[in-house]
PDB file of all heavy atoms in Angstrom:
ATOM      1  N   ALA A  17      96.144  94.640  93.269  1.00 49.00           N
ATOM      2  CA  ALA A  17      95.669  93.883  94.429  1.00 49.00           C
ATOM      3  C   ALA A  17      94.226  93.510  94.178  1.00 49.00           C
ATOM      4  O   ALA A  17      93.469  94.280  93.609  1.00 49.00           O
ATOM      5  CB  ALA A  17      95.790  94.708  95.713  1.00 49.00           C
ATOM      6  N   PHE A  20      87.319  90.830  96.748  1.00 46.00           N
ATOM      7  CA  PHE A  20      86.096  90.193  96.292  1.00 46.00           C
ATOM      8  C   PHE A  20      84.921  90.649  97.146  1.00 46.00           C
ATOM      9  O   PHE A  20      85.054  90.869  98.347  1.00 46.00           O
ATOM     10  CB  PHE A  20      86.209  88.659  96.379  1.00 46.00           C
ATOM     11  CG  PHE A  20      87.219  88.096  95.444  1.00 46.00           C
ATOM     12  CD1 PHE A  20      88.536  87.941  95.846  1.00 46.00           C
ATOM     13  CD2 PHE A  20      86.867  87.742  94.157  1.00 46.00           C
ATOM     14  CE1 PHE A  20      89.488  87.417  94.987  1.00 46.00           C
ATOM     15  CE2 PHE A  20      87.813  87.216  93.296  1.00 46.00           C
ATOM     16  CZ  PHE A  20      89.117  87.057  93.712  1.00 46.00           C
ATOM     17  N   VAL A  29      78.934  90.519  85.836  1.00 86.00           N
ATOM     18  CA  VAL A  29      80.130  90.752  86.642  1.00 86.00           C
ATOM     19  C   VAL A  29      81.056  91.726  85.923  1.00 86.00           C
ATOM     20  O   VAL A  29      81.310  91.594  84.733  1.00 86.00           O
ATOM     21  CB  VAL A  29      80.865  89.436  86.927  1.00 86.00           C
ATOM     22  CG1 VAL A  29      82.127  89.688  87.731  1.00 86.00           C
ATOM     23  CG2 VAL A  29      79.945  88.473  87.663  1.00 86.00           C
ATOM     24  N   THR A 101      91.786  99.816  78.056  1.00 92.00           N
ATOM     25  CA  THR A 101      93.133 100.361  77.927  1.00 92.00           C
ATOM     26  C   THR A 101      93.277 101.646  78.724  1.00 92.00           C
ATOM     27  O   THR A 101      92.310 102.388  78.934  1.00 92.00           O
ATOM     28  CB  THR A 101      93.483 100.662  76.451  1.00 92.00           C
ATOM     29  OG1 THR A 101      92.540 101.604  75.927  1.00 92.00           O
ATOM     30  CG2 THR A 101      93.462  99.401  75.620  1.00 92.00           C
ATOM     31  N   PRO A 109     103.118 114.468  64.815  1.00 82.00           N
ATOM     32  CA  PRO A 109     103.010 114.544  63.349  1.00 82.00           C
ATOM     33  C   PRO A 109     104.248 113.943  62.689  1.00 82.00           C
ATOM     34  O   PRO A 109     105.365 114.404  62.910  1.00 82.00           O
ATOM     35  CB  PRO A 109     102.894 116.050  63.081  1.00 82.00           C
ATOM     36  CG  PRO A 109     103.508 116.706  64.277  1.00 82.00           C
ATOM     37  CD  PRO A 109     103.247 115.795  65.436  1.00 82.00           C
ATOM     38  N   GLU A 141      87.329  79.648  87.903  1.00 87.00           N
ATOM     39  CA  GLU A 141      86.384  78.782  88.615  1.00 87.00           C
ATOM     40  C   GLU A 141      86.788  78.586  90.066  1.00 87.00           C
ATOM     41  O   GLU A 141      85.954  78.257  90.909  1.00 87.00           O
ATOM     42  CB  GLU A 141      86.293  77.427  87.907  1.00 87.00           C
ATOM     43  CG  GLU A 141      85.702  77.505  86.502  1.00 87.00           C
ATOM     44  CD  GLU A 141      85.609  76.149  85.842  1.00 87.00           C
ATOM     45  OE1 GLU A 141      86.074  75.163  86.471  1.00 87.00           O
ATOM     46  OE2 GLU A 141      85.076  76.056  84.721  1.00 87.00           O
ATOM     47  N   ALA A 179     101.991  90.013  79.683  1.00 87.00           N
ATOM     48  CA  ALA A 179     102.142  89.239  80.920  1.00 87.00           C
ATOM     49  C   ALA A 179     100.793  88.653  81.327  1.00 87.00           C
ATOM     50  O   ALA A 179      99.768  89.319  81.235  1.00 87.00           O
ATOM     51  CB  ALA A 179     102.688  90.114  82.042  1.00 87.00           C
ATOM     52  N   PHE A 189     100.793  92.089  92.190  1.00 75.00           N
ATOM     53  CA  PHE A 189     101.898  91.789  91.296  1.00 75.00           C
ATOM     54  C   PHE A 189     102.485  93.093  90.773  1.00 75.00           C
ATOM     55  O   PHE A 189     101.895  94.161  90.919  1.00 75.00           O
ATOM     56  CB  PHE A 189     101.455  90.897  90.137  1.00 75.00           C
ATOM     57  CG  PHE A 189     100.609  91.593  89.110  1.00 75.00           C
ATOM     58  CD1 PHE A 189     101.171  92.148  87.976  1.00 75.00           C
ATOM     59  CD2 PHE A 189      99.239  91.685  89.277  1.00 75.00           C
ATOM     60  CE1 PHE A 189     100.388  92.786  87.022  1.00 75.00           C
ATOM     61  CE2 PHE A 189      98.441  92.318  88.329  1.00 75.00           C
ATOM     62  CZ  PHE A 189      99.021  92.874  87.202  1.00 75.00           C
ATOM     63  N   GLY A 216     103.074 116.465  81.951  1.00 78.00           N
ATOM     64  CA  GLY A 216     103.799 117.713  82.118  1.00 78.00           C
ATOM     65  C   GLY A 216     104.387 117.834  83.511  1.00 78.00           C
ATOM     66  O   GLY A 216     105.543 118.251  83.676  1.00 78.00           O
ATOM     67  N   GLN A 220     108.429 118.049  84.469  1.00 76.00           N
ATOM     68  CA  GLN A 220     108.921 119.235  85.168  1.00 76.00           C
ATOM     69  C   GLN A 220     109.580 118.871  86.484  1.00 76.00           C
ATOM     70  O   GLN A 220     110.482 119.561  86.951  1.00 76.00           O
ATOM     71  CB  GLN A 220     107.767 120.214  85.407  1.00 76.00           C
ATOM     72  CG  GLN A 220     107.236 120.849  84.125  1.00 76.00           C
ATOM     73  CD  GLN A 220     105.936 121.595  84.342  1.00 76.00           C
ATOM     74  OE1 GLN A 220     105.493 121.752  85.487  1.00 76.00           O
ATOM     75  NE2 GLN A 220     105.322 122.050  83.267  1.00 76.00           N
ATOM     76  N   ARG A 221     109.126 117.779  87.113  1.00 71.00           N
ATOM     77  CA  ARG A 221     109.642 117.385  88.421  1.00 71.00           C
ATOM     78  C   ARG A 221     110.387 116.064  88.345  1.00 71.00           C
ATOM     79  O   ARG A 221     110.431 115.310  89.309  1.00 71.00           O
ATOM     80  CB  ARG A 221     108.496 117.265  89.420  1.00 71.00           C
ATOM     81  CG  ARG A 221     107.647 118.524  89.520  1.00 71.00           C
ATOM     82  CD  ARG A 221     106.426 118.266  90.363  1.00 71.00           C
ATOM     83  NE  ARG A 221     105.515 119.409  90.348  1.00 71.00           N
ATOM     84  CZ  ARG A 221     104.306 119.409  90.896  1.00 71.00           C
ATOM     85  NH1 ARG A 221     103.884 118.326  91.503  1.00 71.00           N
ATOM     86  NH2 ARG A 221     103.520 120.472  90.827  1.00 71.00           N
ATOM     87  N   ALA A 243      64.112  93.743  91.457  1.00 46.00           N
ATOM     88  CA  ALA A 243      63.067  92.726  91.617  1.00 46.00           C
ATOM     89  C   ALA A 243      61.815  93.154  90.860  1.00 46.00           C
ATOM     90  O   ALA A 243      61.449  94.314  90.826  1.00 46.00           O
ATOM     91  CB  ALA A 243      62.747  92.545  93.097  1.00 46.00           C
TER      92      ALA A 243
END
Side-chain angles (χ1 to χ4, degrees):
F20 294 90
V29 178
T101 59
E141 295 181 356
F189 73 94
Q220 291 169 7
R221 305 172 187 173

